[in-house]
């Protein structure tokens, strides 16, 4: 069955960095794009970033552009989210989610999430 | 960027009643590329509906989606106790950002 498992969350000071991982299994990883979606405490969902199935293109929300990068290692079935220059407003649960297919970016499978807390 | 506005913010109903949740887009959502997700406390969201009206695998038929253009609706025909949760709509019809609505909290009356 499809599984997505996030890791790497934790507490970091403002201005610091953190790298999240999303390990996938149960599907043909190199055929699907992967998204990151976050949810601040008590708030709604916010789409953060996306990497295409072949790693050729990435997209970012304006709120993280220039600070976050996304990459994938198909040999490890893993997507990485590198977060730099972190701010208090980046505090959230970060979910990775699988794109349904190459043309429709709804999220048919989600990980359980990893909590990132930016605080001094 | 397409802004999605969900209403109401909170909906209080009893089991057995019918729930109607709205999601309105600031501009037309191409190809009716709109999804609905259910989220319970402490859990990841779960896909319910995609392409505005198609139920995801394993979703009971009491859940239905409708709409096109800028107005979309999620209907739960007869509420079961496990249906009380937060519901999010999301559009994927345009290039990124793939925006979400702010959510509707469906609570037990």
């Amino acid at each position: 069955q499809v599984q997505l498992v996030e890791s790497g969350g934790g507490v970091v000071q403002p201005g610091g960095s953190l790298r999240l991982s999303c390990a996938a299994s149960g599907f043909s990883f190199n055929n699907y794009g992967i998204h990151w979606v976050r949810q601040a405490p008590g708030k709604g969902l916010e789409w953060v970033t996306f990497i295409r199935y072949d790693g050729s293109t990435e997209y970012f929300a304006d709120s993280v552009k220039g600070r976050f990068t996304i990459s994938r290692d198909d040999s490890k079935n893993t997507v990485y989210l590198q977060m730099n220059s972190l701010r208090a407003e980046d505090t959230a649960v970060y979910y990775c989610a699988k794109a349904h297919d190459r043309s429709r970016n709804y999220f048919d499978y989600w990980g359980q999430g990893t909590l990132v807390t930016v605080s001094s | 960027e397409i802004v999605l506005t969900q209403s109401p913010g909170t909906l209080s109903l009893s089991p057995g009643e019918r729930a109607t949740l709205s999601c309105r887009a600031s501009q037309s959502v191409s190809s009716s590329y709109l999804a609905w997700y259910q989220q319970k406390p402490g859990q990841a969201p779960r896909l319910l509906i995609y392409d505005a009206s198609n139920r995801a695998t394993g979703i009971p038929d009491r859940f239905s989606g409708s709409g096109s253009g800028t107005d979309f609706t999620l209907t739960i025909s007869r509420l079961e106790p496990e249906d009380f949760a937060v519901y999010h709509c999301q559009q994927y019809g345009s290039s990124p950002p793939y925006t979400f609505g702010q959510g509707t909290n469906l609570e037990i009356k």
Side-chain angles (χ1 to χ4, degrees):
Chain A
Q1 72 281 21
V2 174
Q3 269 200 309
L4 298 166
V5 179
E6 303 94 337
S7 60
V11 180
V12 60
Q13 292 189 338
S17 298
L18 211 56
R19 189 179 82 157
L20 306 184
S21 299
C22 171
S25 60
F27 63 100
S28 181
F29 181 74
N30 59 1
N31 283 331
Y32 293 92
I34 298 293
H35 297 258
W36 287 93
V37 176
R38 69 184 180 183
Q39 187 169 37
K43 302 296 185 182
L45 300 170
E46 179 189 14
W47 174 82
V48 175
T49 182
F50 165 63
I51 187 165
R52 276 172 55 100
Y53 69 97
D54 58 1
S56 62
T57 307
E58 307 108 34
Y59 298 101
F60 296 91
D62 286 346
S63 57
V64 307
K65 204 170 291 183
R67 300 187 298 123
F68 289 14
T69 59
I70 186 172
S71 60
R72 62 189 296 154
D73 183 342
D74 288 357
S75 70
K76 296 182 179 178
N77 283 8
T78 300
V79 169
Y80 303 99
L81 179 64
Q82 178 67 43
M83 305 185 295
N84 299 329
S85 303
L86 283 161
R87 307 166 180 168
E89 54 265 34
D90 296 318
T91 294
V93 174
Y94 285 73
Y95 298 100
C96 63
K98 172 186 165 292
H100 175 69
D101 60 30
R102 295 180 186 183
S103 60
R104 290 180 296 173
N105 282 290
Y106 63 88
F107 315 127
D108 49 11
Y109 293 93
W110 297 66
Q112 84 289 350
T114 187
L115 177 61
V116 172
T117 302
V118 183
S119 173
S120 54
Chain B
E1 172 178 330
I2 295 179
V3 176
L4 299 180
T5 301
Q6 292 186 241
S7 61
T10 299
L11 183 58
S12 300
L13 294 170
S14 301
E17 291 193 293
R18 181 185 186 89
T20 303
L21 287 67
S22 173
C23 178
R24 180 161 291 176
S26 60
Q27 55 189 281
S28 183
V29 177
S30 61
S31 305
S32 294
Y33 279 174
L34 187 114
W36 290 92
Y37 303 88
Q38 177 193 66
Q39 187 178 29
K40 296 180 180 178
Q43 296 185 16
R46 176 176 73 144
L47 176 67
L48 296 176
I49 301 287
Y50 63 93
D51 295 351
S53 60
N54 295 304
R55 273 189 301 277
T57 303
I59 301 303
D61 61 6
R62 64 179 181 274
F63 290 90
S64 63
S66 62
S68 63
T70 61
D71 288 304
F72 299 87
T73 300
L74 175 69
T75 302
I76 311 171
S77 59
R78 286 180 56 87
L79 285 165
E80 298 287 344
E82 62 267 27
D83 298 337
F84 293 91
V86 177
Y87 291 84
H88 308 273
C89 60
Q90 177 235 343
Q91 68 81 22
Y92 50 97
S94 62
S95 54
Y98 300 114
T99 47
F100 289 90
Q102 81 280 17
T104 290
N105 180 27
L106 177 57
E107 64 175 24
I108 299 177
K109 187 173 182 180

